Amino acid sequence: MQEQNCPKCDGEMDTGKLGIENVMYFSNWQKNFFKAGTLIDKARACTNCGFVELYLDPEVLKQKIQANQ
């Protein structure tokens, strides 16, 4: 992933991770009752305005959605 400036204020973004373990994303496209979450493994925060972005592995998400449709 290419590092870019903040989408809100164009400030510098700092890369890190969340301080909470196992923060998961659950897609609405998954149809099974037991949805398989995808780990959010990266975060970026703007050092100017505080805007935060969260990232997961898109290939893992695609696989889980396809397996549960």
Side-chain angles (χ1 to χ4, degrees):
M1 177 179 62
Q2 181 182 7
E3 299 297 321
Q4 298 175 345
N5 288 350
C6 177
K8 294 188 70 110
C9 75
D10 203 37
E12 182 180 338
M13 296 291 284
D14 181 61
T15 301
K17 60 183 180 177
L18 296 177
I20 304 169
E21 291 185 33
N22 299 327
V23 176
M24 307 295 269
Y25 172 80
F26 295 91
S27 173
N28 287 332
W29 290 99
Q30 293 174 305
K31 295 180 180 178
N32 288 353
F33 180 73
F34 294 104
K35 294 181 180 182
T38 304
L39 181 65
I40 296 174
D41 59 357
K42 181 179 176 182
R44 295 178 70 224
C46 178
T47 59
N48 187 51
C49 73
F51 177 78
V52 175
E53 295 178 324
L54 303 176
Y55 294 90
L56 51 73
D57 185 332
E59 294 304 316
V60 172
L61 177 61
K62 289 175 192 174
Q63 291 172 0
K64 290 182 179 184
I65 290 172
Q66 290 172 353
N68 286 285
Q69 287 185 339

